Amino acid sequence: MSDEKQTETIEELNEQFTAQKLDPNAPKLHSKAMRKNWLCVIYAVIALASNAYDASLPWNLPILPSFDNDVTGGDVWQLSAIKQASNVGAFLAPLTYVPLFDGVGRKHGVLIGTIFAFIGVCVQVFGTFGDNPNVAFSVGRVINQFGVAIAGAVANMYIMEVSHPAWRAFFGGLFGAVWVWGYYFNQFVVFIATFTPDGPWQWRVPIMMQWIWVVILIALWFVVPETPRFLVSKGKVDEARAVIIEWQADGDASNPMIEAQLEEIQRQIDSEPKFTYWQSINPWPLFRSANYRRRMYILIVNNWVWNLLNLAPSGDVYTTEIYDMLGVNNPSAKQGMDIGGDAFTVIGAYYGSFGPERYGRRTLMIWGYGGAVFFLFWQALGMDFYKRFGDSFGWAAVFFTARYIAGFWSSLVTAPSANLFNDEIMPFENRSRALFVTQFVSSALNFLTTYLQPFVIVWLGNEMYWWLFAYSIVQFLTVVLMYPETKGRTLEQVGKIFDSPTPVRHSVKMLKEYEAAQKNVEVGTEKA
């Protein structure tokens, strides 16, 4: 290929990979120029960490004897009702997404969700000293989850829209990893609580820890900016320009990335229809065209499989049985073993945050789900043979080893699956509406799976693990057949992928051609 033709190819492909040319001299991740952008990221990730921490409380608190005595009375149905209360809050939250996120703003949406979470914590801590602690705790769970669901969802949009274009994928991946870290932090706090004396504050202090998130988020709210995309959508172009200059370009108003990004955002927003509130929460237009049906299928299946996998905690009935066989009988030891095993999940989430931009979203998800399928098979087999052959230490070891390693592989895809794809594949005007639909479906499925858990134990028994294995195969095949590659594109450019009748083939082909052309240019430069 001639140098002239090669240059033309690069220019044509750059139109498909605008993120690569918006700021070719992008600052290093840990440079002084990125400090302010990191502050925006911290604001978003703390909001998500609070969501993860709170969502995991109903699963971890029951290990504390005082919680059973004060709230559930050891009744599994009472515990299921409390978990359902959390799902009710998460179920109601999506109804507010459109007016909050598109009306009030991304930044203010995080604050509003945080205030609701603060109120919910107060109800759970102080309202449970009355005659009906289980009722007060359930009400607090509804309010708390309503708040953190709002804060976590809008924080996802915030981090994707305010991040430097060259580092959006990394920060989006890091955001996904933070959910796992928030969950892990809650496990550690409850583990410490197991060493404290039984009493009313043994289980209340882990809940009160959420006030730390509230204080930090309110403090950062006074500092961080609104996202450029939201400001442009409200006609505040000068304010959006000022945000990009100060928070992405390190004060350099001459950086060509500023105007390039503003032009792209404005062009995309101008091309999209405007909706009233009732139109914006109407999901049917998202399914009228093949273009949008492909996107919504990806988002809904994403949430469908993840929430079916939420049945996994009901299997704790069997892991407890194995713990007893191994002689692990006290709450501290059991929680400690879970923390040690879940370290695999935290490590996977950490590496998953770096993977989306380095290897590609689709590639990382194929690796992650492929590994998860393999080890979920061995997890199911280990449990099956353990139940068949009695107290077998060998099959118990197979079960736990496969369980923890499967956590590593599945957490690799948390970043691209749960965060990057949910925001990347929808254009600005439909982003809140799509998030409303997918989160509504997700919360409904969460409600259903939590309700089913006591029945799952009776109906399926240890066969439940084979169902989890089957669900993981469904998601693996969905990724292979339906998920396009969005690496290297801006939020506005991703939409063009779905204009193709074969978005998967088109996106993978274009990425390979772009990387090959870039490599040829680098080789030619070195020879020269």
Side-chain angles (χ1 to χ4, degrees), residues 59 76 83 308-320 383 403 449-450 452-458 460-462 464-465 468:
W59 304 105
V76 65
K83 293 175 180 177
L308 285 172
L309 293 176
N310 279 344
L311 283 171
S314 63
D316 286 347
V317 170
Y318 300 102
T319 57
T320 299
M383 175 56 73
R403 183 189 188 203
T449 53
T450 304
L452 286 176
Q453 282 177 19
F455 298 101
V456 167
I457 296 171
V458 176
L460 296 179
N462 61 291
M464 177 200 67
Y465 289 102
L468 296 178

Side-chain angles (χ1 to χ4, degrees), residues 292-304 365 417 421-422 425 438 475 478 482-484 498 503-504:
Y292 272 92
R293 281 197 297 272
R294 292 189 189 101
R295 304 177 199 224
M296 292 306 299
Y297 178 82
I298 289 173
L299 295 180
I300 290 175
V301 171
N302 230 9
N303 286 280
W304 173 63
M365 292 176 71
S417 174
F421 263 96
N422 282 359
I425 68 175
T438 54
Q475 183 66 341
T478 300
M482 297 293 296
Y483 280 50
F498 291 91
V504 175

Side-chain angles (χ1 to χ4, degrees), residues 70-71 122-134 136-137 199-205 208:
D70 294 347
V71 181
C122 291
V123 173
Q124 291 172 84
V125 172
F126 301 114
T128 48
F129 282 108
D131 295 331
N132 297 298
N134 57 332
F137 191 83
W201 295 104
Q202 184 188 40
W203 60 270
R204 284 180 172 88
V205 170
M208 293 166 62

Side-chain angles (χ1 to χ4, degrees), residues 141 150 179 196 267 272 495:
R141 292 302 307 153
I150 291 173
W179 202 98
T196 62
R267 185 169 58 250
E272 294 170 349

Side-chain angles (χ1 to χ4, degrees), residues 31-200:
S31 66
K32 182 179 178 181
M34 288 293 292
R35 287 180 183 175
K36 285 193 172 181
N37 208 219
W38 267 106
L39 204 59
C40 299
V41 172
I42 291 171
Y43 181 65
V45 299
I46 289 178
L48 182 67
S50 66
N51 188 340
Y53 185 95
D54 181 74
S56 57
L57 278 170
W59 304 105
N60 291 324
L61 285 180
I63 201 170
L64 302 174
S66 59
F67 180 78
D68 275 347
N69 294 334
D70 294 347
V71 181
T72 66
D75 187 345
V76 65
W77 292 102
Q78 195 70 255
L79 178 60
S80 180
I82 287 173
K83 293 175 180 177
Q84 289 288 24
S86 300
N87 292 327
V88 169
F91 186 78
L92 295 174
L95 296 173
T96 69
Y97 286 177
V98 174
L100 275 183
F101 302 174
D102 291 346
V104 178
R106 279 53 162 149
K107 170 187 169 181
H108 302 314
V110 173
L111 179 67
I112 291 171
T114 300
I115 292 172
F116 275 103
F118 173 78
I119 296 171
V121 170
C122 291
V123 173
Q124 291 172 84
V125 172
F126 301 114
T128 48
F129 282 108
D131 295 331
N132 297 298
N134 57 332
V135 175
F137 191 83
S138 297
V139 171
R141 292 302 307 153
V142 173
I143 301 172
N144 206 165
Q145 260 299 302
F146 178 78
V148 297
I150 291 173
V154 71
N156 195 357
M157 302 174 72
Y158 182 84
I159 198 172
M160 297 295 286
E161 295 180 6
V162 82
S163 298
H164 191 290
W167 293 107
R168 190 192 77 239
F170 169 76
F171 285 137
L174 179 66
F175 187 78
V178 165
W179 202 98
V180 177
W181 297 344
Y183 168 78
Y184 195 69
F185 180 62
N186 177 256
Q187 278 196 316
F188 184 75
V189 169
V190 174
F191 173 67
I192 296 298
T194 61
F195 293 99
T196 62
D198 291 352

